[in-house]
Amino acid sequence: MKTTVATIDFGTSKIVTLVAENSGSQRCDIVAAGISRYDGYLEEGWNNPEGLDEAIRRSLADAESQCGTKIKEINVGVPGAFTRVYATKATVSLSGTDPRVTSRDVRAAFSQAAEKLEDIPGVVIHSSPAWFMVDSSKKTLEPVGMKGREMTAFISFVVGDRGFIDDVTTRMAEMGIQVAGFFSTTAGEAMLYLDEQARDHTSVLIDMGYLNTEIIGVEGDAVIYHKVLPAGGGDIAVALADELDISLSAAEEIKRKFVYGIDSGDDKYEVPAADGEKPAVFTREQVKPVICKAVDEIAEQIKDAIDNDFGGLGNWSHVLMTGGGLSFNRGGKEYLGGRLGRAVEDIPRRTTKLNSHSFSSSLGLMDLIIDTIEQQKAPGGGVGSKVAGFFKSLLGG
């Protein structure tokens, strides 16, 4: 039986509506992608709330025209800027003459951990385990059946901002669309692009967008650290526009063409005439210090967050990068890696469709939702049955 799923992802510069079909033969086939540029948001909220409805309609209409179906129900991704991550431990005593972990014990650990969030404002939109440990055994994601006296669980919760949830629910209702659920875009993206081996060693995904940069620390099947920096690719363009006295759109063009780490010396960046202004040509020597200074400032914040705030990475940990802020530039990840003092890797391709860095969060969101649907349909798929497979990537096969 074929199931159609629609998602909407609010990025910092565009809204993406995806429509996918899920069936026995095709686990996730993306049949439409509606894209609408808009003014995005900052930590305080929407930059242009009055124009948001129209931007949403454009994204929806674009997707509907591609799939030939009217969207009446949608799953909404809550952006990282409107979420908080809380990771906490819970300990459960095992009972019986031959005490072994049961699915009831796992549920009890989740309930105990959730109690610690009672006074935290917001709505829990995601929960997942980083690991379980029975007595002093090794960490595992499949504790059911293990023998011991005590089980400790490290569990992560993603809490969504109620203001965002209420606002989007109201806007969708006024458009005749029902919200099927709210999901963590951050968690979906991290689980899609950080494979099991990387997560076992605790790793980080950096998503540098246009207005902000997300730093996502992952262990096991959980996001255990999350920080949003109010800086991204847009800051690089603004620095260029100010220093060279050019329009922001012209600065964007230069930023996109810039190659890091290669000093040919004869690179030229042409700015065509516009709005009565004369055309201009800038050399690499004029552009490079401005761009590198802006990236260095963002890199310094990222490094401080990873090394000092998170501090959870070891020698075997991985650092991956995505997002449109820097990933498109040749040499970008290598330049950032030099500033961080760590190798920075590109994210793996998980699908032949929309495999651009610009769609990483949208694909992660769809992956998470399809996976959740499949888990709900699976017989005996309750908490604790196969915890390790709960976020298995679908788009990658």
Side-chain angles (χ1 to χ4, degrees):
M1 181 178 176
K2 184 183 296 185
T3 302
T4 301
V5 180
T7 66
I8 188 164
D9 174 30
F10 294 89
T12 55
S13 62
K14 65 183 181 302
I15 299 173
V16 178
T17 300
L18 295 184
V19 179
E21 293 179 349
N22 170 245
S23 63
S25 59
Q26 185 73 40
R27 300 190 75 185
C28 184
D29 181 27
I30 297 173
V31 297
I35 304 166
S36 173
R37 295 285 174 182
Y38 78 131
D39 293 325
Y41 50 81
L42 295 174
E43 189 175 359
E44 297 78 15
W46 306 110
N47 291 327
N48 181 13
E50 292 77 14
L52 180 59
D53 284 354
E54 180 56 33
I56 293 174
R57 288 191 181 94
R58 289 198 305 269
S59 178
L60 292 168
D62 190 7
E64 289 171 340
S65 67
Q66 293 176 40
C67 65
T69 303
K70 179 70 175 177
I71 296 174
K72 297 180 180 179
E73 183 178 88
I74 201 159
N75 298 276
V76 179
V78 183
F82 296 103
T83 65
R84 295 292 182 271
V85 171
Y86 300 90
T88 184
K89 292 181 181 178
T91 300
V92 176
S93 297
L94 306 179
S95 58
T97 55
D98 183 29
R100 295 178 183 273
V101 179
T102 66
S103 58
R104 179 179 297 178
D105 296 318
V106 175
R107 286 192 290 270
F110 269 81
S111 296
Q112 184 186 130
E115 290 176 0
K116 300 179 182 180
L117 304 180
E118 289 181 353
D119 296 329
I120 294 175
V123 180
V124 174
I125 59 173
H126 185 84
S127 61
S128 52
W131 49 260
F132 297 91
M133 182 183 295
V134 179
D135 293 341
S136 57
S137 63
K138 292 182 179 180
K139 296 176 181 178
T140 181
L141 281 170
E142 297 184 352
V144 175
M146 294 181 65
K147 185 176 181 178
R149 294 292 179 182
E150 187 177 79
M151 181 191 72
T152 301
F154 189 32
I155 300 171
S156 166
F157 296 88
V158 181
V159 178
D161 179 78
R162 185 173 291 279
F164 173 89
I165 291 173
D166 291 345
D167 181 60
V168 173
T169 299
T170 300
R171 291 177 187 273
M172 290 297 177
E174 291 174 350
M175 297 178 196
I177 298 175
Q178 180 181 354
V179 175
F182 286 90
F183 295 81
S184 168
T185 303
T186 299
E189 185 177 21
M191 293 304 136
L192 178 60
Y193 292 109
L194 290 172
D195 61 25
E196 186 176 344
Q197 183 180 18
R199 300 199 306 268
D200 282 346
H201 295 296
T202 308
S203 296
V204 163
L205 176 65
I206 300 169
D207 185 343
M208 186 186 295
Y210 190 72
L211 297 179
N212 64 37
T213 298
E214 287 191 63
I215 303 164
I216 310 165
V218 180
E219 183 178 6
D221 277 353
V223 174
I224 62 172
Y225 174 81
H226 181 235
K227 187 168 187 175
V228 179
L229 304 176
D235 293 76
I236 304 172
V238 168
L240 273 174
D242 289 344
E243 182 67 24
L244 304 180
D245 193 23
I246 57 177
S247 67
L248 186 58
S249 59
E252 279 288 345
E253 285 296 318
I254 295 176
K255 177 179 77 74
R256 281 194 287 266
K257 294 176 181 177
F258 185 77
V259 177
Y260 292 84
I262 301 177
D263 287 314
S264 62
D266 57 356
D267 289 346
K268 304 291 184 183
Y269 302 92
E270 297 183 8
V271 176
D275 299 327
E277 296 181 357
K278 295 181 179 180
V281 178
F282 299 97
T283 65
R284 181 176 176 84
E285 286 70 23
Q286 291 174 289
V287 168
K288 179 182 175 181
V290 182
I291 289 181
C292 289
K293 180 182 178 182
V295 175
D296 288 351
E297 290 174 353
I298 299 174
E300 185 177 352
Q301 297 179 63
I302 295 173
K303 182 175 175 58
D304 180 67
I306 293 176
D307 293 346
N308 302 322
D309 192 15
F310 179 35
L313 298 187
N315 294 332
W316 296 99
S317 298
H318 295 257
V319 176
L320 279 70
M321 183 176 72
T322 187
L326 188 61
S327 297
F328 291 124
N329 292 87
R330 188 150 59 98
K333 66 178 185 295
E334 290 81 7
Y335 185 86
L336 180 62
R339 294 301 180 268
L340 299 183
R342 292 179 176 272
V344 175
E345 307 167 39
D346 200 3
I347 59 169
R349 291 190 176 187
R350 294 302 194 197
T351 175
T352 56
K353 297 179 179 179
L354 305 176
N355 57 19
S356 165
H357 290 282
S358 295
F359 298 102
S360 297
S361 61
S362 302
L363 292 175
L365 174 63
M366 179 62 79
D367 181 47
L368 177 59
I369 294 168
I370 293 289
D371 200 12
T372 302
I373 292 172
E374 293 241 333
Q375 288 294 327
Q376 292 172 345
K377 290 181 178 179
V383 174
S385 58
K386 289 187 178 180
V387 180
F390 191 74
F391 289 108
K392 181 181 177 183
S393 169
L394 298 178
L395 297 179

